[in-house]
Amino acid sequence: MGCFNIYIFNRQGTCIYYHEWFRPKSVKQGAGTLQDDQKQMFGLFWTLSNFCATMDPKDQDKPQLGTPRKIGQGCKFRSFTTNSYKCNFLEVPSGIKLVLNTHREAPDLTDVLQALYDDIFVEYVVKNPMYVPGQPFQSEQFVNALNAFLRQNGLLQQQQIMQAAV
Amino acid sequence: MSVYSLYVINKSGGLIYNRDFCEAARVETNDSLRLASIWHSLHAIASQLSPVPGCTGIELLEADTFNLHCFQTLTGTKFLLVVDPHASFIPALLQRIYELYSDYVMKNPFYETEQVIKCELFDENVELLIRRYLQQVT
């Protein structure tokens, strides 16, 4: 129960932050290396966002598949659920993408991800004067605030807090 | 309309059946073929990226204006149903569609497996099932 891992990507597709709490199936069994895993995750979301924009049944002039899509244009993809996990996604207007893998019974986490961005990422990362926007970062304050926030929302159990694996 | 469209994908990722129940949901033929193949690959990548072992692929995709339910059979055939976010009992509906598929498509002696579905009885019965479902929920 709870969260498995979190990825934060910048506009260009580089993973600027990765943290895992509980990952029984190691990266080696999945994509191979952590870098490949992050690249595949980004590709998955990029394609799913385009897929949703084209499939949208309520949009009168939806984009054709393959046309470049601007950030925030078209129907936004929120999450997908598989039989073992649920993947929650949020893309903010600046292009930063947050991906949170949780157990499959989790409710709609769009507000949680938005609050995570507003209260934690912006406060501890963007407002940090030493931080170069779009670059990978490591911040102990960010990790502590993240863990506290997720525990508050009931997404993290005490025994799941592990060492950051960046 | 609660139910927007139905797609059936064979085990190699090719689109073998596409039915829109609503005018707004219409996607161009070429795009629908590409969407089906894309879905097939994404389904596989999602299980590879799973942090937990034993993942069999995407079952539900949630977006702002629609939900997409996917039912995968033991043979690898996938049934996708694009519905309204507030629609209920969709897994049962997908199970019924699978039963209609096994009755009117698989038992049709002229149907070749993995080919495009052109069975009138299947079309009629799917239409009837969806209409009955919509009547029950409204």
Side-chain angles (χ1 to χ4, degrees):
Chain A
M1 285 293 272
C3 288
F4 297 122
N5 47 11
I6 186 169
Y7 301 73
I8 302 182
F9 293 96
N10 69 0
R11 251 185 120 100
Q12 278 73 38
T14 325
C15 184
I16 59 177
Y17 186 71
Y18 170 75
H19 184 116
E20 69 181 35
W21 290 277
F22 182 58
R23 189 168 190 163
K25 181 179 178 196
S26 75
V27 175
K28 281 214 186 67
Q29 293 172 300
T33 66
L34 194 61
Q35 236 202 4
D36 277 350
D37 182 75
Q38 289 164 0
K39 280 189 210 165
Q40 277 197 358
M41 185 58 86
F42 181 80
L44 180 66
F45 288 109
W46 194 83
T47 315
L48 274 171
S49 305
N50 282 0
F51 184 89
C52 284
T54 314
M55 268 267 192
D56 188 9
K58 295 246 173 81
D59 195 353
Q60 296 305 330
D61 41 15
K62 49 196 172 194
Q64 265 206 329
L65 198 64
T67 54
R69 192 186 57 94
K70 294 201 186 72
I71 296 171
Q73 188 188 35
C75 180
K76 283 188 267 294
F77 149 68
R78 283 189 192 174
S79 70
F80 71 74
T81 317
T82 70
N83 67 325
S84 52
Y85 72 104
K86 179 172 183 183
C87 188
N88 304 282
F89 176 76
L90 180 74
E91 182 175 23
V92 295
S94 64
I96 304 278
K97 295 171 234 303
L98 291 111
V99 177
L100 185 65
N101 290 338
T102 61
H103 63 280
R104 62 168 289 169
E105 286 82 24
D108 185 32
L109 290 176
T110 319
D111 298 330
V112 171
L113 282 173
Q114 187 69 49
L116 206 155
Y117 176 76
D118 291 337
D119 301 330
I120 313 226
F121 185 76
V122 169
E123 290 299 311
Y124 293 102
V125 181
V126 180
K127 289 186 181 174
N128 182 343
M130 308 300 285
Y131 176 64
V132 179
Q135 294 302 312
F137 66 89
Q138 292 194 37
S139 162
E140 214 180 291
Q141 277 191 320
F142 175 74
V143 179
N144 293 338
L146 179 67
N147 285 332
F149 177 77
L150 289 174
R151 216 176 307 136
Q152 216 179 342
N153 280 317
L155 288 166
L156 210 59
Q157 267 76 44
Q158 272 299 105
Q159 62 267 34
Q160 281 192 302
I161 300 176
M162 282 162 53
Q163 289 294 323
V166 179
Chain B
M1 267 262 189
S2 255
V3 178
Y4 296 119
S5 37
L6 169 69
Y7 293 79
V8 183
I9 305 175
N10 68 11
K11 65 169 177 260
S12 346
L15 182 70
I16 57 175
Y17 187 76
N18 172 13
R19 181 76 180 274
D20 294 315
F21 300 106
C22 168
E23 191 49 48
R26 199 155 304 267
V27 177
E28 274 181 45
T29 327
N30 282 337
D31 274 357
S32 61
L33 288 162
R34 284 190 212 118
L35 284 172
S37 320
I38 287 174
W39 178 263
H40 179 82
S41 323
L42 295 178
H43 196 85
I45 292 178
S47 23
Q48 202 187 44
L49 289 175
S50 164
V52 190
C55 180
T56 56
I58 303 178
E59 289 180 357
L60 168 65
L61 177 85
E62 287 168 89
D64 284 343
T65 54
F66 69 94
N67 278 2
L68 187 141
H69 292 253
C70 175
F71 172 67
Q72 184 172 16
T73 68
L74 292 163
T75 51
T77 312
K78 292 180 250 307
F79 292 83
L80 305 188
L81 205 60
V82 181
V83 295
D84 191 76
H86 308 292
S88 47
F89 306 116
I90 299 296
L93 186 63
L94 274 169
Q95 195 71 34
R96 279 292 299 133
I97 293 176
Y98 181 47
E99 283 170 31
L100 289 178
Y101 168 82
S102 57
D103 281 339
Y104 296 107
V105 179
M106 296 315 285
K107 292 179 187 170
N108 181 343
F110 299 108
Y111 175 71
E112 288 174 46
T113 40
E114 311 299 305
Q115 297 305 313
V116 173
I117 295 173
K118 281 191 184 331
C119 308
E120 229 180 86
L121 283 174
F122 180 65
D123 287 335
E124 282 173 16
N125 281 279
V126 162
E127 175 79 46
L128 210 65
L129 176 70
I130 300 295
R131 218 177 306 140
R132 226 177 317 139
Y133 165 80
L134 291 170
Q135 273 176 354
Q136 279 184 336
V137 291
T138 48

